[in-house]
């Protein structure tokens, strides 16, 4: 018996112990352990949907542990037991539907499935379930299971995913505006009902603010809430405080209790109430220690209250967003920098191009000289200026000197060394010889850079080809000089010769001038080259191959067409065309012509000759300016030639005239003397016979004969003066007597004028008395003749310093200043030779001056038109 009892006791004991263990396990387990019973067993052969419906309809919690009750917000199992399944699990929730469906289809056995349930407060909880149904004869009666609360883990996972989503958006975005908008749309409604993001610009002002609300119609309301508080002082929360403090902030619960603390009439509070704000948190957007903006999250949903856990999450979110914003900015800055750099590069390239073009256009070569290494760098154009292929300049100072014309080289070297220590800016002008022998003028200007000890270390400079300008200067100087030569003499052959030799030293290597002679045709007057040997050689060639005057080129053509020939470039073909045979071609090739110009000497549109300029050794190419110069020179030369010819013609005419006068006066002298004698005989007879009528006529005839005689003698005198044969018979005589006697004779000749003698010389005079009487008579006769309306002539004699001065003053027509000198010239008359009021030949004063000069005296006149003239005669007193 006892043994039985024992066995039963042991079994009971074991059972009890097992139940205790079960209870202990259940109550101590952190897992929720439960048993659901069904009001009515469910037929497992029913369609799944029907079974599902039945599960939700008949299941109720029959048993659970405290741990499970706690998962729903209760503290004890009793508080939860009895709950019906739909109370805990929303039957509409898709996750739940799938969960139960799977439970059914798997034969009421399922592990590790999630359910979405609600706790006592209505908060969503997520549980992981393991469960098994008790089936007997195809009917399910109940289910046992365990569950674990994975809500936190789940939301952490979800948030992680959210963060990833956000990050993905952030990564691809480079547009701040778009990014913020998209992120705000992710946040709302997942994490907030409305969300505000503000971003600062570089100067720390809020540049952008976005508001997103789950209900788009409330966006404006949310926006105006911000407007209502943004400028309020002492704000404890919101965007401005976040930006100012750079710290996250949270108001977990916004309820009436809290709002009561504020002035209920303020717009801000009214708006908060209108929006139904429940909970709030905000985070600054910080990257690299700098506040870039801020975000706020607001909940208006029943029961969504933010926790510190949430704040932690949004802080992380904000960190990522800030990082992206910072990246966008950096990218933008970099982009801008790149663009700026690109722009600068572009401008720089443009400028360099412009500089290059300007240098090209201005013909400017650029060089740099490094004094320490003595390396000289030349720009491409510089090389071109020196006739070099790009990249072929050898790059030293010495090498440069080689290109300088031998005549300029030493000067430049000396100047260079003399100035380089003193001057920051230097400029030179010199000639260079290009590899092909061409001579060019260069203007060089350079800036010298010194070290602290004032040693030159570096120079930068430019070279400009100034040949044209230089040649223009040379040309105009040449033209001036040539003109001077042309007007220096009337011997045109000599002057042309001189002009040609001037030309070869300044404008061309060869200069040939030829003139057309009426009888002999074109005659070369001069051929010039600085090397006389070459001239000889060319003359020989010219003799062997005389230029054909009918040629269709060269001088012949120019003479014929009266147009210049201008060949800045001479090609071989041109030489071939001109050459008469192989030998001739060879000879003219030897000349090495590079440029030729031939201009006609034109006079009254007729060719009278030609000027030829040839450039050879200097390789100079004549320009249009040179051609103009040649034409100008030709014009002046033609005028000079004409002048010379006219002069020669007039000289010839004068000789003819003088010869004629001399012959005529000689021839006339004898018959006039006979006539005079004969008249005097007749006059004597008439006086004897008192034949008054005849006397009157004969006196008149006699007077005319005297005039004629005087004229003939004057003409004779002139030809004697011309031939230097005017003779003087010198003796001593009383000057005063000579004067008064002359006046007495002259007074007889004039009825109208009284000749008044003033003063005396009381001097003796040594000279040809008759000739001096001739002078006095001439001057007084003129005084009377040129003062027809006056009634006197004053003769004033004075003596001073052994010189007698006679002033013969009239009150007549006088004369202009311009004639005062000229009246003493041969045949010069103020009123011309055809004048009838004052007849005369213009020889009296000429002869008088001649006589006075021969007596060591002077003769001059002072006069003014309408007032009269005073002729002065000054003669030396006789010295014993
Ligand atoms: P002529 O009187 O025969 O023409 P002259 O040689 O004596 O030649 O004088 C030259 C010119 O000088 C004159 O033609 C006249 O124009 C000018 N002349 C000379 N004497 C006088 C004078 N007393 N008053 C004004 N003109 C004068």
């Amino acid at each position: 018996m006892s043994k039985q009892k024992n066995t039963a006791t042991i079994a009971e004991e074991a059972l009890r112990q097992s139940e205790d263990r079960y209870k202990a396990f259940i109550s101590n387990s952190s897992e929720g352990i439960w048993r659901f019973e069904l009001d009515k067993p469910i037929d497992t052969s029913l369609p799944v949907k029907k079974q599902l419906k039945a599960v939700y309809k008949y299941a109720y919690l029959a048993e659970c542990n405290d741990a499970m009750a706690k998962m729903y917000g209760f503290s004890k199992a009793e508080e939860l037991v009895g709950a019906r399944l739909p109370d805990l699990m929303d039957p509409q929730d898709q996750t739940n539907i799938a969960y139960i469906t799977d439970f059914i289809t798997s034969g009421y056995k399922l592990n590790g499935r999630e359910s979405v349930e609600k706790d006592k407060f209505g908060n969503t909880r997520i549980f992981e379930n393991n469960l098994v149904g008790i089936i007997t004869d195809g009917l399910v009666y109940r289910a046992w299971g365990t569950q674990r609360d994975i809500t936190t883990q789940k939301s952490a996972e979800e948030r992680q995913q959210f963060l990833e989503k956000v990050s993905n958006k952030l990564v691809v975005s480079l547009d701040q505006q778009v990014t913020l908008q998209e992120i705000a749309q992710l946040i709302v409604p997942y994490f907030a009902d409305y969300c505000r993001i503000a971003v600062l610009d570089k100067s720390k002002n809020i540049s952008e603010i976005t508001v997103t609300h789950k209900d788009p119609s409330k966006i404006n309301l949310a926006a105006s809430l911000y407007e209502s508080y943004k400028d309020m002082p002492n704000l404890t929360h919101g965007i401005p405080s976040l930006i100012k403090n750079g710290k996250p902030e949270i108001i977990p619960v916004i309820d009436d209790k809290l709002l009561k603390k504020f002035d209920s009439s303020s717009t801000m509070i009214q708006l908060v109430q209108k929006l139904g704000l429940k909970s709030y948190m905000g985070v600054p957007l910080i990257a690299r220690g700098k506040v870039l903006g801020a975000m706020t999250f607001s909940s208006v949903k029943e029961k969504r209250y933010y926790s510190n856990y949430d704040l932690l999450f949004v802080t992380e979110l904000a960190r990522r967003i800030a990082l992206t914003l910072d990246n966008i900015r950096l990218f933008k800055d970099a982009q801008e920098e790149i663009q700026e750099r690109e722009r600068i590069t572009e401008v720089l390239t443009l400028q360099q191009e412009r500089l290059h073009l300007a240098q090209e256009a201005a013909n400017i070569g650029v060089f740099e000289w490094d004094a320490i290494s003595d390396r000289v760098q030349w720009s491409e154009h510089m090389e071109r200026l020196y006739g070099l292929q790009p990249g072929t300049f050898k790059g030293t100072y010495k090498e440069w000197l080689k290109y300088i014309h031998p005549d300029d080289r030493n000067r430049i070297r000396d100047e260079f060394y003399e100035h380089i220590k003193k001057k920051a800016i230097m400029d030179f002008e010199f000639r260079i010889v290009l590899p092909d022998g061409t001579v060019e003028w260069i203007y060089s200007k350079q800036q010298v850079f010194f070290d602290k000890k004032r040693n030159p270390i570096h120079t930068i400079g430019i070279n400009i080809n100034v040949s044209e300008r230089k040649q223009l200067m040379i040309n105009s100087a040449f033209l001036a000089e040539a003109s001077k030569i042309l007007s220096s003499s009337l011997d045109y052959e000599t002057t042309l010769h001189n002009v040609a030799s001037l030309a070869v030293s300044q404008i061309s290597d060869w200069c040939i001038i030829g003139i057309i002679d009426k009888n002999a045709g074109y005659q070369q007057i001069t051929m010039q080259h600085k090397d006389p040997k070459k001239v000889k050689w060319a003359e020989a060639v010219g003799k062997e191959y005389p230029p054909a005057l009918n040629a269709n080129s060269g001088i012949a053509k120019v003479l014929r067409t009266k147009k210049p020939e201008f060949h800045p470039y001479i090609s071989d073909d041109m030489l071939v065309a001109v050459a008469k045979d192989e030998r001739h071609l060879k000879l003219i090739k030897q000349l090495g012509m590079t440029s030729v110009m031939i201009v006609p000497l034109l006079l009254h549109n007729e060719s009278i000759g030609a000027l030829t300029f040839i450039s050879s050794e200097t390789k100079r190419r004549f320009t249009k300016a040179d051609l103009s110069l040649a034409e100008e020179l030709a014009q002046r030369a033609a005028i000079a030639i004409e002048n010379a010819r006219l002069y020669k013609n007039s000289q010839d005419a004068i000789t003819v005239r003088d010869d004629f006068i001399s012959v005529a006066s000689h021839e006339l002298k004898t018959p006039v003397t006979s006539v005079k004698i004969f008249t005097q005989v007749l006059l004597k007879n008439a006086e004897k016979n008192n034949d008054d009528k005849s006397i009157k006529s004969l006196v008149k005839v006699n007077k005319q004969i005297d005039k004629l005689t005087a004229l003939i003698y004057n003409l004779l005198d002139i030809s004697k003066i011309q031939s230097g044969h005017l003779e003087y018979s010198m003796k001593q005589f009383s000057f005063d007597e000579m004067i008064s006697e002359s006046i007495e004779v002259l007074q007889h000749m004039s009825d109208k004028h009284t000749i008044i003698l003033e003063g005396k010389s009381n001097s003796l005079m040594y000279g040809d008395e008759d000739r001096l009487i001739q002078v006095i008579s001439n001057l007084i006769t003129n005084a009377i003749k040129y003062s027809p309306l006056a009634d006197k002539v004053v003769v004033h004699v004075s003596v001073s310093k052994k010189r007698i001065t006679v002033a013969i003053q009239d009150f007549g027509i006088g004369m202009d200043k311009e004639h005062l000198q000229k009246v003493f010239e041969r045949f010069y008359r103020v009123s011309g030779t055809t004048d009838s009021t004052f007849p005369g030949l213009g020889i009296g004063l000429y002869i008088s001056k001649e006589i006075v000069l021969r007596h060591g005296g002077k003769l001059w006149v002072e006069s003014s038109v309408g007032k009269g003239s005073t002729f002065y005669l000054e003669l030396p007193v006789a010295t014993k």
Side-chain angles (χ1 to χ4, degrees), residues 362-472:
N363 243 356
I364 293 176
V366 182
F367 68 89
E368 285 187 45
W369 176 56
D370 184 56
I372 293 139
S373 66
D374 187 36
R375 291 301 300 169
V376 184
Q377 255 189 3
W378 279 12
S379 74
E380 223 178 274
H381 195 78
M382 182 82 174
E383 292 185 310
R384 233 172 295 142
L385 278 184
Y386 281 68
L388 298 177
Q389 288 295 319
T392 58
F393 175 61
K394 294 214 182 88
T396 62
Y397 168 75
K398 264 193 187 148
E399 197 61 30
W400 167 65
L401 273 183
K402 281 188 192 164
Y403 291 98
I404 297 183
H405 194 283
D407 293 354
D408 294 347
R409 200 177 292 147
N410 289 343
R411 169 177 66 86
I412 291 303
R413 197 182 20 219
D414 294 349
E415 275 183 31
F416 188 79
Y417 282 122
E418 192 185 318
H419 293 316
I420 196 154
K421 296 221 163 180
K422 307 179 212 154
K423 281 189 179 177
I425 303 267
M426 295 195 275
D427 56 355
F428 314 102
E429 228 168 51
F430 50 86
R431 279 165 296 175
I432 55 169
V433 183
L434 270 45
D436 70 354
T438 311
V439 176
E440 302 275 16
W441 276 97
I442 294 288
Y443 168 76
S444 176
K445 186 171 188 164
Q446 65 185 67
Q447 171 143 25
V448 188
F449 298 91
F450 302 95
D451 64 10
K452 278 179 194 150
K453 288 180 187 161
R454 248 195 113 64
N455 292 315
I457 46 166
H458 187 67
T459 73
I460 299 179
I462 52 141
N463 270 202
I464 305 172
N465 185 329
V466 289
S467 302
E468 230 164 278
R469 173 165 67 76
K470 198 76 190 171
Q471 194 59 45
L472 280 178

Side-chain angles (χ1 to χ4, degrees), residues 787-805:
S787 62
L789 303 176
D791 57 3
K792 63 173 179 186
V793 169
V794 180
V795 179
H796 186 90
V797 181
S798 61
V799 69
S800 161
K801 291 182 185 164
K802 305 242 171 215
R803 285 182 89 85
I804 304 161
T805 305

Side-chain angles (χ1 to χ4, degrees), residues 3 47 123 165 182 188 428 612 789:
K3 201 184 172 184
N123 289 331
K165 237 198 234 169
E182 282 178 348
V188 175
F428 314 102
T612 305
L789 303 176

Side-chain angles (χ1 to χ4, degrees), residues 778-787 808 810 812-815 819 822-825 827-832 838-848 861 863 868-871:
N778 203 354
L779 295 176
I780 293 175
T781 313
N782 278 349
I784 291 166
K785 182 159 109 186
Y786 296 104
S787 62
I808 295 144
D810 67 55
I813 60 170
M815 66 184 98
H819 305 294
K822 292 178 178 165
V823 289
F824 299 101
E825 285 171 17
F827 303 118
Y828 189 88
R829 306 199 72 241
V830 171
S831 53
F838 303 107
L841 284 178
I843 50 178
L845 288 178
Y846 169 71
I847 297 167
S848 301
V861 61
S863 183
S869 313
T870 304
F871 280 82

